[in-house]
Amino acid sequence: GESVGLHLPTLSVQEGDNSIINCAYSNSASDYFIWYKQESGKGPQFIIDIRSNMDKRQGQRVTVLLNKTVKHLSLQIAATQPGDSAVYFCAESSSGGYQKVTFGTGTKLQVIP
Amino acid sequence: DAMVIQNPRYQVTQFGKPVTLSCSQTLNHNVMYWYQQKSSQAPKLLFHYYDKDFNNEADTPDNFQSRRPNTSFCFLDIRSPGLGDAAMYLCATSRAGREQYFGPGTRLTVT
């Protein structure tokens, strides 16, 4: 079936550097994409989303880039902090009327102090 | 603060003994979801309610059932838990067409 997957299972980044987490998706009908952050023992937390009519969206220290041509999504975190250490999931939806999302496999971000 | 609450946070049950996990929300969202998440894996959708309409995923075992008596509450019933059902169970809510808000999860242990 359709799937969403991440390229790297673990990413180690020096504190203060920028982080880039990548995600590939296979469903060409996907029209809504979300990044979630999940800290140990907690539920996923919404970070940022982007719709398919956009190719870039910025939040506070985070930017999501969408390349529909190659079905690729990335999350950029500026000036990575120890509190950013978590597992990051991309998720996609093609439901149209309401959000039933499919999660990718997750990338663990480790921030080195 | 508006939020998604799950009780209990930790649940231990015996093999084959029915167990119920609960979720409540103060967000007044019309969609509620139940996910299963095993260690180092992505959350896997079991089913969701869009208002009162129940939507089961094709690969969700019959052992898993759900009830939504009102907008605020949703329950996950596991009729005969097996060892393979040990996992984190996540409840989420959304307003149709918007992002999902997750609860802290219930960690289920089956002995």
Side-chain angles (χ1 to χ4, degrees):
Chain A
E2 302 290 357
S3 66
V4 180
L6 300 183
H7 295 304
L8 298 174
T10 303
L11 177 66
S12 296
V13 175
Q14 202 74 35
E15 181 179 356
D17 288 351
N18 297 335
S19 302
I20 300 176
I21 301 172
N22 296 302
C23 177
Y25 64 96
S26 59
N27 185 356
S28 57
S30 297
D31 56 9
Y32 179 61
F33 303 87
I34 316 104
W35 281 100
Y36 286 95
K37 172 187 180 182
Q38 187 174 25
E39 296 175 274
S40 181
K42 297 183 179 180
Q45 177 186 4
F46 172 87
I47 302 174
I48 192 168
D49 59 0
I50 188 168
R51 298 199 179 271
S52 59
N53 60 350
M54 303 173 68
D55 53 21
K56 180 180 180 179
R57 190 161 189 230
Q58 289 184 293
Q60 186 177 13
R61 280 200 310 117
V62 295
T63 300
V64 55
L65 299 177
L66 175 63
N67 185 330
K68 295 180 289 294
T69 302
V70 295
K71 298 188 183 70
H72 184 267
L73 188 71
S74 69
L75 177 70
Q76 299 178 3
I77 303 173
T80 311
Q81 302 170 359
D84 295 327
S85 294
V87 177
Y88 289 80
F89 292 99
C90 65
E92 62 87 14
S93 174
S94 57
S95 301
Y98 60 96
Q99 296 331 118
K100 174 182 160 180
V101 300
T102 300
F103 280 80
T105 54
T107 292
K108 183 176 182 179
L109 177 65
Q110 294 179 324
V111 181
I112 304 166
Chain B
D1 290 339
M3 56 198 305
V4 181
I5 302 162
Q6 290 189 243
N7 285 305
R9 293 293 311 278
Y10 301 90
Q11 176 73 57
V12 180
T13 191
Q14 293 177 336
F15 183 94
K17 184 175 181 180
V19 65
T20 295
L21 310 182
S22 72
C23 177
S24 63
Q25 55 132 339
T26 60
L27 298 161
N28 201 32
H29 285 169
N30 58 337
V31 190
M32 293 188 77
Y33 309 80
W34 278 105
Y35 289 86
Q36 180 192 66
Q37 185 177 31
K38 296 191 175 181
S39 181
S40 300
Q41 295 183 21
K44 178 181 180 299
L45 182 64
L46 296 174
F47 25 59
H48 71 279
Y49 276 92
Y50 186 97
D51 293 324
K52 295 182 180 180
D53 294 332
F54 177 70
N55 298 272
N56 197 34
E57 292 301 296
D59 57 354
T60 298
D62 292 339
N63 197 26
F64 292 87
Q65 303 287 320
S66 186
R67 295 171 284 136
R68 189 180 186 185
N70 54 53
T71 300
S72 301
F73 286 86
C74 196
F75 300 98
L76 170 62
D77 301 309
I78 308 176
R79 294 192 296 186
S80 182
L83 298 179
D85 297 327
M88 176 75 84
Y89 289 88
L90 295 163
C91 174
T93 74
S94 75
R95 184 175 297 121
R98 302 294 298 273
E99 71 271 17
Q100 295 182 22
Y101 292 80
F102 284 82
T106 295
R107 168 100 31 213
L108 178 68
T109 300
V110 182
T111 61

